């Protein structure tokens, strides 16, 4: 993990789980993180399907993504998924880490096989080659053998595979609690402090 003052790259792709992406961006901004954000067209489509918000990938507005004005504790920079000239396409641009949430099986496969077709794949490749923290949040069930092998491949390459698989042991009673469970575990991996859930062993 890089120094805390460096930006975190956040990519949203076309797996089910738009609420995880929304909450993650909100929590990172509220925690004062500087984020570089990109969204795939399938991420855009699933977003509209699941939470009815129409992201414009050419004229991106974080207020549409969040459903409210973004927290101003942190900063956001948006990059179009096709923009391979963006700073996050180069290892010389220093970052703290990258998270893909949610991560589709297609994006997982592209990373596992170094088949970089867009900025998301390229930025992930950069994080692997630079030995920086890459957290991938797949959502699929059941899993095919190729998907399992792709997860193994990126794990061996240094990525953290963090499935969107919420636990129930923290006293979850709402969907928001389940979303927060996954976002909390992502933040733990990114080294971002949070109070999203009661940790095991904590009494209050
Ligand atoms: C409504 C909807 C839900 C989807 N859910 C998933 C999913 O949960 N997991 C997954 O891996 N792919 C899912 N897909 C398929 C991906 O969106 C598709 O593989 C796409 O090519 C991913 O492209 P991307 O990785 O560039 O975002 C879904 C597609 C749609 C339209």
């Amino acid at each position: 993990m890089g120094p805390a003052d460096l930006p975190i790259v956040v990519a949203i792709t076309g797996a089910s789980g738009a609420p995880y992406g929304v909450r993650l961006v909100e929590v990172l901004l509220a925690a004062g993180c500087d984020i570089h954000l990109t969204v795939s067209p399938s991420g855009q489509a699933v977003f509209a399907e699941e939470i009815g918000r129409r992201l414009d990938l050419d004229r991106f507005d974080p207020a549409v993504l969040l459903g409210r004005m973004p927290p101003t504790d942190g900063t956001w920079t948006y990059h179009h998924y096709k923009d391979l000239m963006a700073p996050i396409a180069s290892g010389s641009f220093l970052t703290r880490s990258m998270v893909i949430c949610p991560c589709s099986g297609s994006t997982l496969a592209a990373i596992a096989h170094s088949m970089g077709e867009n900025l998301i794949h390229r930025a992930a490749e950069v994080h692997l080659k630079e030995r920086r923290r890459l957290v991938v949040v797949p959502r699929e069930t059941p899993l095919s053998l190729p998907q399992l092998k792709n997860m193994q491949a990126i794990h061996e390459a240094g990525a953290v595979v963090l499935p969107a698989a919420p636990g129930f042991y923290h006293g979850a009673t709402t969907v928001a609690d389940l979303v927060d469970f996954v976002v909390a575990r992502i933040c733990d991996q990114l080294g971002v402090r949070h109070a999203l859930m009661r940790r095991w062993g904590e009494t209050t």
Side-chain angles (χ1 to χ4, degrees):
M1 237 171 318
D5 59 336
L6 292 176
I8 296 174
V9 180
V10 179
I12 294 175
T13 68
S16 179
Y20 295 122
V22 172
R23 185 68 170 138
L24 177 63
V25 168
E26 187 176 57
V27 167
L28 292 180
L29 288 176
C33 299
D34 299 324
I35 64 170
H36 282 245
L37 182 64
T38 180
V39 182
S40 74
S42 295
Q44 175 194 41
V46 174
F47 217 83
E49 186 67 29
E50 293 190 330
I51 46 181
R53 294 181 198 155
R54 311 219 161 262
L55 300 174
D56 184 338
L57 301 190
D58 296 316
R59 292 163 184 259
F60 182 77
D61 180 353
V64 175
L65 180 115
L66 296 179
R68 67 176 182 100
M69 293 306 286
T72 51
D73 315 73
T75 64
W76 62 273
T77 305
Y78 172 76
H79 304 290
H80 193 276
Y81 75 101
K82 277 190 186 163
D83 182 11
L84 289 166
M85 301 296 277
I88 58 172
S90 170
S92 66
F93 181 75
L94 293 177
T95 60
R96 175 173 174 181
S97 50
M98 175 172 181
V99 53
I100 307 177
C101 174
C103 182
S104 77
S106 314
T107 292
L108 169 69
I111 299 167
H113 297 279
S114 289
M115 305 277 282
E117 286 183 349
N118 65 31
L119 180 63
I120 297 170
H121 307 158
R122 171 62 189 164
E125 173 74 16
V126 164
H127 280 74
L128 289 182
K129 83 181 175 73
E130 300 292 337
R131 300 288 199 269
R132 294 184 204 150
R133 176 63 54 95
L134 171 64
V135 180
V136 171
V137 186
R139 209 271 6 143
E140 189 58 278
T141 194
L143 291 162
S144 67
L145 183 59
Q147 287 169 328
L148 289 165
K149 285 185 171 175
N150 288 339
M151 288 185 200
Q152 180 179 0
I154 69 166
H155 171 84
E156 288 174 352
V160 174
V161 179
L162 194 157
F168 292 79
Y169 60 81
H170 62 308
T173 55
T174 65
V175 172
D177 291 338
L178 298 176
V179 170
D180 274 1
F181 180 98
V182 172
V183 172
R185 301 320 309 273
I186 295 169
C187 287
D188 287 347
Q189 288 299 322
L190 298 174
V192 173
R193 283 182 181 276
H194 66 84
L196 293 173
M197 59 174 268
R198 184 165 51 82
R199 293 177 189 277
W200 186 246
E202 281 178 353
T203 48
T204 52

